[in-house]
Structures are given as structure tokens and as C-alpha cells.
Amino acid sequence: QVQLVESGGGLLQAGGSLRLSCAASGGTFSSYAMGWFRQAPGKEREFVAAISRSGLITNYADSVKGRFTISRDSAKNTVHLQMNSLKPEDTAVYYCAAKGAFIIIDPRAWAYWGQGTQVTVSS
């Protein structure tokens, strides 16, 4: 059983940057692809970014390409999401997720979830 704890959310102005972190415990970190999803009020949870077990493959939603970067630190069992040039439409609760095997952008395929961290971007 994998436990995920997110941190780093906050309130900031458009154009700013924020770095989210997700600490994983209770499993073999290298066995899991890691991902970030987000959910805005009244909307479905959507894929943001993911990184493969090896860290060599990354995948991003079109809406965040070129602005967000996902990375993982195997020594610390942590995954990060660096978010730059933030926009009001990035406002959401951001969730960290883990799954075995390959990256799949459908959130229903992900087995483990954190509790989420709020990111609010004002215009």
C-alpha cells in the first residue's frame, strides 16, 4: 500500500511559479509511475503530467506543456511538479497519484492517490 502526501500549494498571482511536491511511502518507489492530476470546482479530475518508473519518459497535458515540469527524486521517494507562468485557469486542487507499469492519462487507471493540495491563481 502506497501513501502519498502532497505539499507546496498556495495562492499566487498570474505569471508566478510554484513547486508542488509529493512524498511517497509504503511501497517500492521505483516500481511506480507517478502522476499529477487536478480538479477544478464543478469539473472532472484531469491529467496534468506523469513520469515513468525510470524517470526517462514524461507526458504532459497540452494545456501545461512548456510551463510545467515533472521530475522524480528516487533517493527521497519524491515527485515534483514545477509550475511556471501560472494562469487563473490552472486554479484547482492538485493530486499526486501512483500506479504500476505504464503511464496512462485516464485517472481511473491510477491506484493510489494523495489528498490533494490547493493551487489558486488570481488574475
Side-chain angles (χ1 to χ4, degrees):
Q1 190 76 5
V2 178
Q3 291 82 45
L4 303 172
V5 179
E6 303 98 334
S7 61
L11 169 65
L12 71 166
Q13 291 188 329
S17 297
L18 207 58
R19 189 192 196 206
L20 304 183
S21 297
C22 172
S25 62
T28 302
F29 187 65
S30 60
S31 298
Y32 297 96
M34 301 297 296
W36 287 95
F37 293 78
R38 67 187 181 187
Q39 188 166 17
K43 295 188 176 181
E44 293 188 351
R45 190 168 300 188
E46 66 174 3
F47 170 78
V48 175
I51 188 166
S52 64
R53 291 170 291 175
S54 66
L56 296 177
I57 298 171
T58 56
N59 197 347
Y60 296 93
D62 288 343
S63 59
V64 307
K65 276 181 184 176
R67 300 188 298 122
F68 291 12
T69 302
I70 188 171
S71 61
R72 63 191 295 158
D73 184 341
S74 296
K76 296 182 179 180
N77 289 0
T78 303
V79 62
H80 302 287
L81 184 68
Q82 178 66 43
M83 306 186 294
N84 299 327
S85 302
L86 281 159
K87 306 174 181 180
E89 51 263 44
D90 294 318
T91 295
V93 176
Y94 283 71
Y95 296 91
C96 176
K99 68 178 298 294
F102 306 106
I103 294 171
I104 298 176
I105 64 173
D106 186 342
R108 295 171 296 180
W110 294 73
Y112 305 103
W113 293 87
Q115 292 188 327
T117 184
Q118 176 71 47
V119 173
T120 304
V121 185
S122 63
S123 58

